[in-house]
Amino acid sequence: RSARPHGLAPTSSAARLDAASPDTAAVESVVRDTLALEDICRVPRQARVPLQLAFDTAAPGLARLAIQFRSLLGIGDAVVFDPLELCENHGLRVAFMPLKAATGLSFYDAPNGNVFILIRSGINPEKQLFALAYELGRILLYTRAVYLGEAPFGHEAKTDKAARVFAACFLMPENAVRTSVGQTGARPDEWDLDLLLRLKHRFGVSAETFNYRLLELGLIAPERQAELRAAIKAHYAAHAFAEPGRSRRILSPNGRLGDLLHTALLRADPEAPAIAARFKKLSVKC
């Protein structure tokens, strides 16, 4: 159980996690212990959704991919309050830990048709949710490239942009945003910061991200968008990038991981206490 994990491919530039990275040893430890817990608890290792999909990498294709993946998750255009729990319920492995060199990392587990997504703990939930969706995008871009025989890391800047487009469309589907805005009756030139904050909270994204999505969909006048963008950036600068407004998204990180560890300890498996100790040492809170 404690052997170094094999068959995991980084779904981003190898430079993001190599032998010199301060995160390498910790990530390998968490991945190895997650695999061990799955063995102990005898749970399926496969994801419940396919992770190899055909799509075009232009923006319209990525928007369709986001809708397709949401449909595979069974949510269509619905506004989802907890994408994290949704992903974990479909077997995707997501772990929150104090990464030092990246906001998120992801690895494709080809033997099991699954993934590992590692998200930095200690940052605001909106950034964590965007990192989760972003890494999902990188995974799908990686598996597409491998299937087509292309170099996965040939165009890092394009891959990064494509993953961001996917993340925005996944978290803020066009139909859902248009419907939510339509229900307010707000015209493109009527937006103020309070209204933007009320709506952005539903989608679990940052004010800055939602403001840009409104512009992208033609739902806000460019002049108003620029004014709000300046106000949002001023708030970030004055409050250490904390989100404006009083509403806060609350996540339950490491839910599935904690459940597995709890079950392993209940079974008095001899390896479980050592795994719990390693998680504690790495500040992986379950």
Side-chain angles (χ1 to χ4, degrees):
R1 288 173 183 163
S2 298
R4 181 171 176 165
H6 295 285
L8 298 184
T11 65
S12 50
S13 172
R16 296 178 73 200
L17 190 70
D18 56 25
S21 171
D23 295 320
T24 298
V27 167
E28 288 186 349
S29 177
V30 170
V31 167
R32 185 169 55 243
D33 284 337
T34 301
L35 292 169
L37 287 173
E38 289 177 344
D39 277 352
I40 294 169
C41 299
R42 301 188 182 280
V43 297
R45 283 186 166 177
Q46 295 77 21
R48 293 176 53 208
V49 288
L51 297 170
Q52 288 185 324
L53 301 172
F55 58 92
D56 184 77
T57 56
L62 292 166
R64 288 191 293 271
L65 171 66
I67 292 299
Q68 181 182 5
F69 200 74
R70 287 175 65 94
S71 295
L72 290 170
L73 294 173
I75 55 174
D77 287 336
V79 177
V80 177
F81 193 76
D82 195 346
L84 168 60
E85 183 175 354
L86 181 70
C87 289
E88 289 191 319
N89 283 344
H90 282 78
L92 303 180
R93 307 177 182 111
V94 184
F96 290 73
M97 58 186 295
L99 297 174
K100 299 175 181 178
T103 302
L105 294 166
S106 53
F107 301 85
Y108 181 58
D109 178 7
N112 295 303
N114 206 336
V115 299
F116 283 93
I117 298 176
L118 295 310
I119 305 295
R120 181 189 293 174
S121 55
I123 59 176
N124 68 52
E126 290 84 1
K127 287 184 178 180
Q128 291 176 328
L129 286 177
F130 194 87
L132 171 61
Y134 173 86
E135 296 299 338
L136 278 174
R138 293 206 72 116
I139 289 160
L140 297 171
L141 287 161
Y142 173 84
T143 57
R144 175 189 180 277
V146 171
Y147 180 76
L148 295 176
E150 299 175 353
F153 311 131
H155 303 282
E156 174 60 23
K158 290 183 178 179
T159 300
D160 176 71
K161 182 178 180 180
R164 291 182 181 279
V165 171
F166 171 85
C169 295
F170 178 79
L171 294 172
M172 300 171 285
E174 179 175 353
N175 287 345
V177 175
R178 290 190 182 281
T179 298
S180 294
V181 172
Q183 289 174 343
T184 70
R187 296 191 296 267
D189 60 349
E190 286 185 323
W191 286 89
D192 66 2
L193 185 58
D194 286 341
L195 181 59
L196 185 141
L197 296 179
R198 291 177 67 89
L199 266 69
K200 75 96 179 176
H201 181 66
R202 300 181 191 178
F203 295 90
V205 296
S206 69
E208 185 176 40
T209 298
F210 191 69
N211 191 35
Y212 182 78
R213 184 65 166 151
L214 291 174
L215 180 67
E216 191 176 53
L217 297 177
L219 295 171
I220 187 172
E223 299 80 8
R224 292 297 297 137
Q225 195 268 350
E227 292 171 5
L228 292 177
R229 183 174 70 245
I232 292 165
K233 287 190 174 183
H235 178 91
Y236 287 159
H239 298 86
F241 293 96
E243 278 296 300
R246 289 175 292 179
S247 297
R248 293 289 181 268
R249 181 58 60 95
I250 299 175
L251 300 180
S252 299
N254 299 328
R256 178 177 182 268
L257 196 58
D259 293 343
L260 291 173
L261 178 59
H262 186 79
T263 301
L265 290 168
L266 277 178
R267 293 180 179 177
D269 186 275
E271 194 171 353
I275 292 174
R278 284 192 290 270
F279 282 169
K280 184 176 181 179
K281 183 178 179 180
L282 293 173
S283 296
V284 177
K285 299 178 181 179
C286 298

